[in-house]
């Protein structure tokens, strides 16, 4: 192993996907043996309309560095209009996150159909690389740490411990 | 410079709502009237429900009538009678909340008798309830209020209120100031604000739109929002609250007024209202909206942020 890579940052990407389109698209990418970053953890929902903004907050709190939300193209929703509702909800939620100072580059929305294995690979790869360049998402973790650790995440003490590992 | 605000019409309004309450309770139009009455401290007021026409003289309207009484009509407030037709005193902002509840099928118009107040502003707090209403003491929401005169009420005192002088807006300038900051500065600002929250849920208790039997934030299987007042759970609570009220909030600013920790809650509400107005041209008003901006959609909604 290259010693330089020892502690290399690997982003954690959480993908919230709908079962009918994007999950099937990701499945197609898998069965077609396409390669995409293993950083993505897929969580399957019945529909993008079921994806509550609180899930995104929760994911960030639990250590996600990037988030993907993906579902059926407009007009293709299995439940007819779930993705239209999701589109508005997330348009609004993005504005809220932006207002409190979250970098929107960490969140990607996409429509990936069951036939678009290639698009799934592109979306996941781009997001992973983008987040990798941005570095870890520390804001939410710092909030959680605040009660236990009075220093910042990048304090010299912590760095020393980290390097000693 | 401090500008005085004319509240001379308020005593005439008081007389007028007393007469009307006496009449509608006397002839049985309504079974109860929800209004304001004087409270223990000199000059301060509190909500009251009167059911007898003799009690009509207890009602009043002053610049210290801050509460949004509409919250007592919701199913969350179980100790208020919900039978028969109820009279209620509403300012413009309160009426917008009531109209929102009508749109969400929480209330029926025929079960209500609305007494509208041609409002000229109220105080920002009851800290000094006898304070003169002026450009310093007026509630921030009133500074940029465009709906002083309720519309579509069953009764309105025939009193001319002069209207407000030109005041610097509070929320819109605060929003503009924050928007101009960098994301990191904004994060620091909100982190500071949210960390003050003690999770007393006064803001939820007072909001007419927080009528759910069980709040998502109280559920623990699964627990989506941490319940203890710690920084990360506080942030989640405030984001969830802002999201659940986006497109519904009437801007009565009650949440902000009751917050013991002085967190600028209405700033988030106003920001969301502004964005939804820009994106979907929908905002709280005196017209019942069948569906709010986030419960409806258009096939051609903007999706430039979606890949
Ligand atoms: S969120 Fe606040 S301003 Fe909006 S309706 Fe509820 S109490 Fe009023
Ligand atoms: S009223 Fe203020 S302190 Fe209480 S829960 Fe709401 S924001 Fe937090």
């Amino acid at each position: 192993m290259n010693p330089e890579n020892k502690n290399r940052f690997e982003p954690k990407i959480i993908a919230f996907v709908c079962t009918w389109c994007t999950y099937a698209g990701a499945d197609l990418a898998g069965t077609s043996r396409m390669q995409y970053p293993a950083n993505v953890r897929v969580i399957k929902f019945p529909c993008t309309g079921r994806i509550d903004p609180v899930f995104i907050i929760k994911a960030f709190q639990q250590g996600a560095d990037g988030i993907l939300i993906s579902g059926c193209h407009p007009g293709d929703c299995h439940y007819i209009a779930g993705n239209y509702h999701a589109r508005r909800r997330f348009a609004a939620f993005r504005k809220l996150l932006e207002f409190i100072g979250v970098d929107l580059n960490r969140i990607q929305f996409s429509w990936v159909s069951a036939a678009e294995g290639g698009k799934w690979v592109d979306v996941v790869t781009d997001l992973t690389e983008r987040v990798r360049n941005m570095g870890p998402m520390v804001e939410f973790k710092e909030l959680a740490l605040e009660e236990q650790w009075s220093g910042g995440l990048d304090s010299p003490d912590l760095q020393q411990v980290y390097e000693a590992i | 410079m401090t500008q005085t605000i004319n509240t001379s019409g308020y005593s005439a309004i008081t007389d007028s709502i007393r007469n009307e309450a006496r009449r509608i309770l006397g002839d049985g139009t309504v079974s109860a009237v929800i209004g304001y009455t004087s409270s223990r401290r000199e000059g301060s007021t509190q909500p009251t429900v009167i059911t007898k026409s003799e009690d009509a003289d207890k009602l009043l309207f002053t610049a210290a009538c801050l509460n949004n009484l509409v919250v007592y009509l919701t199913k969350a407030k179980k100790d208020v009678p919900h039978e028969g037709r109820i009279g209620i005193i509403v300012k413009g902002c309160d009426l917008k909340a009531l109209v929102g509840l009508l749109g969400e099928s929480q209330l029926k118009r025929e079960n209500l008798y609305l007494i509208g107040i041609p409002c000229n502003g109220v105080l920002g707090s009851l800290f000094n309830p006898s304070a003169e209403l002026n450009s310093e003491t007026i509630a921030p929401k009133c500074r940029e209020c465009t709906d002083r005169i309720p519309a579509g009420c069953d009764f309105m005192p025939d009193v001319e209120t002069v209207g407000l002088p030109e005041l610097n807006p509070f929320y819109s300038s605060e929003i503009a100031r924050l928007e101009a900051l960098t994301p990191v500065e904004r994060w620091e600002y909100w982190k500071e604000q949210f960390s003050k929250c003690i999770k007393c849920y006064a803001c939820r208790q007072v909001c007419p739109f927080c009528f759910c039997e069980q709040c998502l934030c109280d559920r623990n299987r699964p627990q989506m929002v941490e319940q203890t007042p710690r920084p990360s759970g506080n942030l989640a609570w405030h984001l969830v609250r802002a999201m659940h009220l986006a497109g519904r909030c009437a801007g009565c600013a009650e949440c902000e007024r009751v917050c013991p920790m002085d967190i600028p809650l209405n700033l988030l509400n106003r920001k969301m209202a502004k964005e939804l107005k820009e994106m979907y041209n929908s905002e709280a008003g005196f017209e019942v909206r069948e569906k709010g901006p986030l419960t409806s959609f258009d096939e051609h909604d903007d999706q430039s942020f979606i890949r």
Side-chain angles (χ1 to χ4, degrees), chain A residues 53-55 57-58 61 74 81 84-85 87-102 108-111 119 122-123 126 139-140 143-144 146-148, chain B residues 175 178-179 183 186-187 190-191 223-225 230-232 235-236 239-240 242-243 268 271-272 275-276 279-280 293-303 305-307:
Chain A
V54 77
F55 300 157
I57 304 171
K58 186 85 173 172
Q61 284 177 338
Y84 288 127
H85 285 286
R87 182 166 68 185
R88 279 205 171 187
R89 187 179 315 142
F90 286 114
F93 189 55
R94 279 176 90 248
K95 299 285 181 193
L96 180 61
L97 286 178
E98 188 180 28
F99 192 56
I100 64 149
V102 175
Q108 178 73 55
F109 300 86
S110 66
W111 308 132
K119 181 170 178 190
D122 291 347
V123 168
D126 288 356
E139 283 91 342
F140 283 81
L143 281 184
E146 229 166 58
E147 301 117 36
Q148 297 119 7
Chain B
I175 289 173
L178 286 170
E179 282 172 347
R186 278 202 296 271
W187 178 266
W190 286 112
K191 190 167 123 179
Q223 185 179 60
M224 274 304 163
V225 177
R230 302 197 295 175
S232 93
L235 177 107
L239 294 188
V240 169
M243 253 337 262
L268 289 176
K271 165 72 180 174
M272 293 311 283
E275 295 296 344
L276 290 172
M279 288 191 287
Y280 308 121
L294 293 187
T295 47
S296 53
F297 64 87
D298 186 311
E299 286 175 14
H300 307 293
D301 282 337
D302 169 58
Q303 55 172 353
F305 66 96
I306 304 178
R307 200 169 142 179

Side-chain angles (χ1 to χ4, degrees), chain B residues 27-40:
Chain B
D27 69 10
T29 312
V30 298
S31 58
V33 173
I34 307 178
Y36 306 93
T37 191
S38 58
S39 182
R40 267 171 302 204

Side-chain angles (χ1 to χ4, degrees), chain B residues 14 32 35 57 70 76 101 105 116 144 146 172 176 179 188 191 196 199 208 214 245 262 300:
Chain B
T14 299
D57 284 340
V70 171
L101 290 174
S105 307
E144 49 205 283
T146 49
S172 43
E179 282 172 347
E188 287 303 318
K191 190 167 123 179
K196 297 192 289 189
K199 290 275 180 84
Q214 191 180 28
L245 285 152
D262 285 337
H300 307 293

Side-chain angles (χ1 to χ4, degrees), chain B residues 68 97 203 206-209 241 245 248-256 266 269-270:
Chain B
N68 179 352
C203 47
V206 81
C207 179
F209 292 99
R241 198 198 65 84
L245 285 152
R248 308 166 65 215
C249 169
C252 63
E254 283 288 273
C255 46
E256 188 169 286
N266 201 28
N269 297 336
R270 290 305 92 221

Side-chain angles (χ1 to χ4, degrees), chain B:
Chain B
M1 200 195 71
T2 313
Q3 288 164 284
T4 312
I5 290 162
N6 187 329
T7 53
S8 56
Y10 285 5
S11 60
I13 292 176
T14 299
D15 292 339
S16 175
I17 56 181
R18 282 179 182 169
N19 288 337
E20 183 65 8
R22 192 175 299 113
R23 188 184 73 75
I24 56 177
L25 281 167
D27 69 10
T29 312
V30 298
S31 58
V33 173
I34 307 178
Y36 306 93
T37 191
S38 58
S39 182
R40 267 171 302 204
R41 227 154 27 106
E42 173 76 35
S44 79
T45 73
Q46 66 180 46
T48 188
V49 183
I50 60 167
T51 49
K52 294 201 264 323
S53 56
E54 306 87 276
D55 290 339
D57 284 340
K58 291 188 181 157
L59 297 178
L60 51 76
F61 187 77
T62 68
C65 292
L66 309 185
N67 301 60
N68 179 352
L69 301 173
V70 171
V71 68
Y72 298 109
L73 295 174
T74 63
K75 65 179 180 203
K77 301 288 176 279
K78 299 213 179 351
D79 35 3
V80 180
H82 290 129
E83 246 108 89
R85 198 167 176 201
I86 310 263
I88 183 165
I89 293 174
V90 284
K91 307 187 286 292
C93 42
D94 308 343
L95 181 62
K96 285 197 274 185
L98 191 144
V99 166
L101 290 174
L102 289 172
E104 294 182 17
S105 307
Q106 293 297 314
L107 301 173
K108 288 205 178 80
R109 182 66 181 83
E110 61 271 23
N111 292 343
L112 298 167
Y113 189 91
L114 305 182
I115 303 175
I117 302 283
C119 173
N120 218 22
V122 291
L123 292 168
S125 90
L126 283 187
F127 182 66
N128 178 6
S130 311
E132 176 204 54
L133 188 69
N134 61 33
S135 54
E136 300 295 314
T137 58
I138 194 169
K141 66 173 173 182
C142 303
R143 302 184 78 92
E144 49 205 283
C145 176
T146 49
D147 300 301
R148 308 191 293 114
I149 313 291
C153 290
D154 297 295
F155 174 79
M156 236 207 339
D158 188 16
V159 177
E160 284 279 322
T161 45
V162 276
L164 295 170
E166 199 63 34
L167 298 171
N168 306 335
F170 174 74
Y171 294 113
S172 43
S173 56
E174 227 3 51
I175 289 173
R177 181 183 73 81
L178 286 170
E179 282 172 347
L181 297 177
T182 65
V184 178
E185 289 168 323
R186 278 202 296 271
W187 178 266
E188 287 303 318
Y189 173 82
W190 286 112
K191 190 167 123 179
E192 171 85 34
Q193 296 295 342
F194 294 158
S195 69
K196 297 192 289 189
C197 177
I198 53 172
K199 290 275 180 84
C200 62
Y201 295 129
C203 47
R204 184 176 72 185
Q205 210 63 19
V206 81
C207 179
F209 292 99
C210 280
F211 52 71
C212 293
E213 292 279 334
Q214 191 180 28
C215 180
L216 171 81
C217 301
D218 288 340
R219 297 231 306 250
N220 55 11
R221 270 190 296 169
Q223 185 179 60
M224 274 304 163
V225 177
E226 197 192 339
Q227 286 154 1
T228 44
R230 302 197 295 175
S232 93
N234 284 359
L235 177 107
W237 156 245
H238 283 273
L239 294 188
V240 169
R241 198 198 65 84
M243 253 337 262
H244 286 191
L245 285 152
R248 308 166 65 215
C249 169
C252 63
E254 283 288 273
C255 46
E256 188 169 286
R257 177 178 72 85
V258 298
C259 178
M261 305 310 289
D262 285 337
I263 300 169
L265 291 160
N266 201 28
L267 211 51
L268 289 176
N269 297 336
R270 290 305 92 221
K271 165 72 180 174
M272 293 311 283
K274 172 183 153 220
E275 295 296 344
L276 290 172
K277 167 118 205 278
E278 272 167 24
M279 288 191 287
Y280 308 121
N281 195 24
S282 178
E283 67 177 335
F286 295 147
E287 295 281 325
V288 176
R289 290 179 295 180
E290 200 120 298
K291 297 230 164 171
L294 293 187
T295 47
S296 53
F297 64 87
D298 186 311
E299 286 175 14
H300 307 293
D301 282 337
D302 169 58
Q303 55 172 353
S304 51
F305 66 96
I306 304 178
R307 200 169 142 179

